[in-house]
Amino acid sequence: MPELVINISNVVSPLCYSLIRLEPYTTCIYGCVYCYARWYRRESDIVRPRVNAVKEFSIYARKIYRRDLLPIPARLSTLIDPFIPHEELFKTSLSLLRIALDYEYPIIINTKSILLLRDPWRRVIERLADRGLVSIQISVSTLDQRISSSLEPYASTPSERLSMAREFSSIGIPIAVRLSPYIPRISIYPSIEELANIFKDHGVRHVVVEVLRLESSSIESFLRGLGLDIDVESYSLRIVEGLTPISRISLGSRIDEYIALSKTLARYGIGFATCKEGLYSIHTAYDCCGMYLLKRSIAYRATLMEIYRIAREWNGIPLEKIGDAMDILLKQGYLVGEKLRLYPKRVSKPLKNHEKKLLRVLKSRDMVIHIAPSLDIVDGRIIARDIDDTIKTVSRPR
């Protein structure tokens, strides 16, 4: 597994801000039945600390600090929960947090665990928070305890995770909830209004949804097991020999709930975004990951979100003017083009390749509308679509 920067792909490269990742362990023991990390991991089922991740992050964070560069927030982590029980023995995540503290590097913690509430982890997190260097993103698939226990058998309960959210938010640490995987009707339990009220009561400031995706051969039976008869669609852009085709819940089966959830959360003062879905017209937050909650100046890379904003402002971007749009983003402070050369090569080279992939995606209408339905290419122009226009292009659920 490469260190520090997430692998280049047609989906991640054009959509994701937080490409810096810290993976402390080789695998996870929570046994979530929907886990998609298994498609990316190549190690055995034995949990081992990734000592090279600690070494690489220490070198990189020190260089960013000494060069006085704006840091790109790092995710702890993306494929493995960083606070599985093994953390009590190995303390690899604790080492990464201490490096972030030493070099004032911003961290987005993504977890289902409540180990963070205990020292020494809590003490370090509070020190990071005092410097505006941390936000906590709590992953929840549903607040229905019965279903949660079957989907996430070895993780802490949803109520325990929310209690942790309340405790940390009460001392000023920004809290986001990741509804992941998002499953219609299941993830909005007990109702959208009650869910928003619960989140508000527990100090949640941002919600990001990431729809369920599973192997195409098993997703429909998985949903039927939950009592759901809903449409699915291909997540994979194309069939590749040797790779398992992946499907997700169809846009038509989730869009109405997304719209209602976005509007309801807005009334409670909570930001909303989608993860790797490109539905920008219903986002109410500056970025999807909740990086805006950090209280430090940070570096943003350009994504399709920025292209969407420029397309709205310009009433469309001619394909031959994409370079001009990127130049504008460079002047606005985004980490694009030549500005990447300022950063250590261990991240600047892969980030440059991510940018190249983003630009390649923008040349294909099929890829653009599949990856980001809020965009389209019409008559040689990239256009931003309102949600009503997006809905017209998808089928409604059965």
Side-chain angles (χ1 to χ4, degrees):
M1 181 192 299
E3 301 296 351
L4 294 182
V5 182
I6 296 173
N7 287 335
I8 297 158
S9 78
N10 288 326
V11 174
V12 169
S13 299
L15 293 177
C16 294
Y17 291 103
S18 54
L19 294 179
I20 305 298
R21 54 101 177 272
L22 307 175
E23 301 291 352
Y25 297 104
T26 55
T27 192
C28 181
I29 54 86
Y30 281 156
C32 301
V33 298
Y34 52 74
C35 179
Y36 63 84
R38 63 185 180 276
W39 304 324
Y40 306 101
R41 293 196 298 256
R42 295 293 181 266
E43 292 89 352
S44 70
D45 292 333
I46 299 173
V47 176
R48 295 188 178 91
R50 293 178 56 80
V51 293
N52 200 43
V54 177
K55 176 183 176 181
E56 287 289 308
F57 182 53
S58 179
I59 294 170
Y60 166 68
R62 182 170 64 248
K63 288 184 177 181
I64 295 296
Y65 182 78
R66 290 179 174 176
R67 296 181 191 180
D68 196 28
L69 294 170
L70 284 180
I72 308 162
R75 293 186 61 84
L76 178 67
S77 56
T78 61
L79 296 179
I80 293 130
D81 196 295
F83 298 101
I84 54 177
H86 298 71
E87 170 67 9
E88 296 185 68
L89 172 64
F90 296 116
K91 295 183 172 61
T92 311
S93 294
L94 181 63
S95 296
L96 292 166
L97 290 172
R98 284 173 170 162
I99 292 168
L101 185 62
D102 288 342
Y103 297 113
E104 299 189 5
Y105 202 98
I107 296 287
I108 300 172
I109 295 172
N110 182 24
T111 186
K112 295 183 177 75
S113 173
I114 58 172
L115 180 63
L116 289 68
L117 290 170
R118 294 167 44 190
D119 284 334
W121 298 274
R122 177 171 182 150
R123 187 166 58 248
V124 176
I125 288 170
E126 288 180 352
R127 291 180 66 192
L128 285 165
D130 288 342
R131 302 182 189 184
L133 292 169
V134 68
S135 70
I136 298 176
Q137 195 173 87
I138 296 170
S139 182
V140 178
S141 59
T142 178
L143 298 190
D144 186 324
Q145 177 56 46
R146 179 183 60 84
I147 295 178
S148 176
S149 63
S150 65
L151 295 180
E152 306 158 347
Y154 303 114
S156 57
T157 66
S159 60
E160 288 174 328
R161 291 175 235 175
L162 285 177
S163 293
M164 180 175 71
R166 175 181 278 161
E167 190 161 345
F168 278 130
S169 67
S170 70
I171 58 174
I173 297 178
I175 300 294
V177 164
R178 173 177 286 272
L179 285 176
S180 175
Y182 188 94
I183 305 171
R185 301 201 288 276
I186 303 294
S187 294
I188 57 170
Y189 175 89
S191 71
I192 288 178
E193 188 72 32
E194 291 173 280
L195 187 68
N197 187 55
I198 290 169
F199 286 164
K200 182 67 174 181
D201 183 57
H202 287 78
V204 175
R205 296 173 55 189
H206 178 77
V207 171
V208 56
V209 297
E210 182 178 15
V211 73
L212 174 76
R213 55 188 189 272
L214 287 173
E215 291 91 346
S216 300
S217 59
S218 63
I219 187 170
E220 290 182 324
S221 61
F222 177 89
L223 292 169
R224 285 195 298 271
L226 293 172
L228 300 174
D229 180 20
I230 53 180
D231 292 332
V232 300
E233 64 188 18
S234 175
Y235 178 75
S236 306
L237 289 164
R238 60 182 66 86
I239 301 299
V240 178
E241 186 176 354
L243 296 181
T244 303
I246 305 300
S247 292
R248 62 184 173 188
I249 294 170
S250 71
L251 181 55
S253 297
R254 66 189 192 270
I255 190 65
D256 287 337
E257 285 188 5
Y258 280 8
I259 294 170
L261 185 58
S262 175
K263 291 179 178 179
T264 305
L265 289 170
R267 288 195 286 105
Y268 284 85
I270 300 173
F272 172 86
T274 63
C275 176
K276 294 190 282 291
E277 299 189 38
L279 295 168
Y280 302 127
S281 53
I282 58 173
H283 287 202
T284 61
Y286 184 78
D287 63 73
C288 44
C289 306
M291 289 163 53
Y292 68 94
L293 297 175
L294 292 162
K295 300 171 185 176
R296 280 294 188 94
S297 296
I298 58 175
Y300 276 91
R301 68 180 293 262
T303 70
L304 291 180
M305 179 70 160
E306 283 63 48
I307 298 299
Y308 172 82
R309 289 171 178 152
I310 293 176
R312 288 188 67 89
E313 181 182 347
W314 290 6
N315 195 28
I317 306 172
L319 289 176
E320 66 272 15
K321 297 291 185 180
I322 292 176
D324 293 346
M326 297 297 283
D327 287 342
I328 286 175
L329 294 174
L330 178 64
K331 292 176 182 177
Q332 291 176 348
Y334 283 88
L335 188 55
V336 298
E338 293 300 309
K339 198 171 184 179
L340 285 168
R341 294 182 181 273
L342 300 173
Y343 285 73
K345 191 173 182 180
R346 57 180 21 93
V347 301
S348 64
K349 184 176 180 180
L351 286 178
K352 186 63 179 177
N353 288 331
H354 275 290
E355 184 177 287
K356 290 178 180 177
K357 176 66 76 171
L358 162 68
L359 295 175
R360 283 199 291 271
V361 166
L362 285 170
K363 296 178 181 179
S364 167
R365 180 174 185 264
D366 288 344
M367 292 179 71
V368 165
I369 61 178
H370 181 85
I371 295 168
S374 287
L375 288 169
D376 199 351
I377 299 177
V378 179
D379 296 331
R381 298 173 68 86
I382 302 168
I383 63 170
R385 301 197 298 185
D386 292 329
I387 193 61
D388 289 341
D389 294 327
T390 302
I391 290 173
K392 291 175 184 177
T393 67
V394 302
S395 60
R396 288 299 189 181
R398 292 194 297 262

